[in-house]
Amino acid sequence: MNQLRSLWVILSTAFLLLGIALIYFLVDVPDSPQLASGQGAVKCREYKSSSEIDVSKPLNIAVWNIYKQQLEGWDTELKSLAADNTIILLQEAQTKPQMLSYLEQSGWHSNQAYAFAINGEIAGVMTLSEAIPEKVCAYTKVEPYLRLPKSALYSAFPLSNGEVLSVINLHSINFTYGVTEYSEQLDVLVEAVEPLKGPLIIAGDLNTWSNERLSVVRDKLSSIGLKEANFQPDERLRVFSHPLDHVFYRGVTLQHAKSIDTPASDHARLEASFVFDEAKEKGSD
């Protein structure tokens, strides 16, 4: 299944490159990105009435490239993730009417990075959470060849122990020659969170389809103390034998992680369960 999907990704990429001129005129790409830019501009929003995450309870998060909600069953899958997780990181989310209706009915708090818009529908990473963050910042980085921005969203969640959980939802740029632009996008995020204290999770569709890209991600994130989650079962989408989706973490302890294939997207859904280190220490007393 993964081999067939890898072939499909390669063929899709070829057709996408052939049609890029047409796509560019159909997409509204702001001259000055409204939310953020990997070249230095960042847009943040602060919430006056944030809510705490209880560190005595497990932290369950889900990560899923939702494939622009193009395939049937995405809403059923999303409801399933919502039943078991307190934070959901979506990539390739679009504010189509069905998504807006789901958000209104579900009661989830949501933030979305404005990468670009098609027919008025915003596209970009979206973070859903039961708790309201105290601060959210959005970043974008333009694809060198496609000229469409990829996005990242930073969320700061207050914890019941007085610390702050930092979560980055990232969709890395895809089509590059070499890894210069790819590294630049990640560098902006690493520099932003490096001085932060408290637990940190960086996850999403990192487009790590080569050894060089995977090394960039692992080297940069391990340099600020993050570990990589291993999945069992591991049904993540692979291109050139490399998984594209990842979860990295520090300041929390991974209990278990799994990735489950789904016909509702070209990417498997990822789920990871953590306990806060403070809660773990109390439990061992």
Side-chain angles (χ1 to χ4, degrees), residues 208-274:
T208 46
W209 42 258
S210 70
N211 286 328
E212 195 172 14
R213 282 173 167 244
L214 193 55
S215 294
V216 165
V217 170
R218 287 174 171 167
D219 290 347
K220 291 182 182 297
L221 296 189
S222 65
S223 71
I224 58 172
L226 275 76
K227 301 177 182 178
E228 183 177 359
N230 295 315
F231 297 88
Q232 185 62 41
D234 188 352
E235 299 179 358
R236 289 176 292 173
L237 174 63
R238 284 172 164 76
V239 175
F240 305 126
S241 300
H242 297 289
L244 303 187
D245 305 298
H246 301 269
V247 174
F248 289 84
Y249 62 96
R250 78 177 185 202
V252 288
T253 298
L254 179 66
Q255 296 292 91
H256 56 81
K258 62 182 179 181
S259 64
I260 305 298
D261 192 21
T262 168
S265 173
D266 57 340
H267 286 247
R269 40 183 265 190
L270 279 57
E271 295 182 76
S273 180
F274 300 93

Side-chain angles (χ1 to χ4, degrees), residues 9-283:
V9 169
I10 295 169
L11 292 174
S12 298
T13 300
F15 284 113
L16 182 60
L17 291 173
L18 289 174
I20 187 58
L22 175 60
I23 293 174
Y24 187 75
F25 286 109
L26 291 177
V27 173
D28 171 23
V29 181
D31 292 333
S32 299
Q34 294 187 22
L35 289 187
S37 169
Q39 284 73 24
V42 176
K43 183 170 182 180
C44 296
R45 176 179 181 179
E46 296 185 1
Y47 291 91
K48 294 181 180 179
S49 57
S50 58
S51 51
E52 293 181 345
I53 293 177
D54 188 351
V55 299
S56 68
K57 298 179 180 179
L59 174 69
N60 298 329
I61 72 164
V63 181
W64 190 29
N65 183 319
I66 201 169
Y67 196 52
K68 308 176 187 67
Q69 302 112 250
Q70 293 187 75
L71 300 179
E72 291 185 5
W74 67 266
D75 51 344
T76 301
E77 291 286 346
L78 191 53
K79 289 176 183 177
S80 176
L81 291 177
D84 299 321
N85 297 279
T86 55
I87 298 176
I88 301 177
L89 309 181
L90 300 177
Q91 299 83 50
E92 291 196 15
Q94 289 191 351
T95 54
K96 297 178 180 180
Q98 298 92 329
M99 174 61 82
L100 293 176
S101 176
Y102 169 79
L103 294 176
E104 182 179 357
Q105 295 175 13
S106 67
W108 281 78
H109 180 83
S110 65
N111 282 286
Q112 184 178 26
Y114 186 118
F116 56 87
I118 301 176
N119 297 324
E121 296 173 349
I122 297 173
V125 297
M126 179 182 290
T127 298
L128 309 181
S129 58
E130 291 183 350
I132 300 175
E134 63 181 14
K135 185 176 183 180
V136 176
C137 296
Y139 306 75
T140 61
K141 176 72 173 177
V142 175
E143 289 265 9
Y145 301 119
L146 299 186
R147 305 308 301 167
L148 299 179
K150 285 294 195 298
S151 56
L153 205 58
Y154 163 80
S155 302
F157 296 96
L159 299 177
S160 60
N161 63 358
E163 293 187 331
V164 173
L165 167 66
S166 300
V167 179
I168 290 182
N169 179 0
L170 173 60
H171 192 187
S172 297
I173 59 176
N174 198 1
F175 306 106
T176 63
Y177 180 77
V179 293
T180 299
E181 295 89 351
Y182 183 82
S183 297
E184 288 173 352
Q185 182 191 22
L186 193 58
D187 283 340
V188 171
L189 302 173
V190 168
E191 291 172 8
V193 299
E194 185 174 11
L196 298 180
K197 305 299 182 181
L200 169 64
I201 294 173
I202 298 179
D205 178 359
L206 306 188
N207 276 315
T208 46
W209 42 258
S210 70
N211 286 328
E212 195 172 14
R213 282 173 167 244
L214 193 55
S215 294
V216 165
V217 170
R218 287 174 171 167
D219 290 347
K220 291 182 182 297
L221 296 189
S222 65
S223 71
I224 58 172
L226 275 76
K227 301 177 182 178
E228 183 177 359
N230 295 315
F231 297 88
Q232 185 62 41
D234 188 352
E235 299 179 358
R236 289 176 292 173
L237 174 63
R238 284 172 164 76
V239 175
F240 305 126
S241 300
H242 297 289
L244 303 187
D245 305 298
H246 301 269
V247 174
F248 289 84
Y249 62 96
R250 78 177 185 202
V252 288
T253 298
L254 179 66
Q255 296 292 91
H256 56 81
K258 62 182 179 181
S259 64
I260 305 298
D261 192 21
T262 168
S265 173
D266 57 340
H267 286 247
R269 40 183 265 190
L270 279 57
E271 295 182 76
S273 180
F274 300 93
V275 293
F276 291 95
D277 291 348
E278 179 180 280
K280 181 184 176 185
E281 291 171 2
K282 288 183 178 180

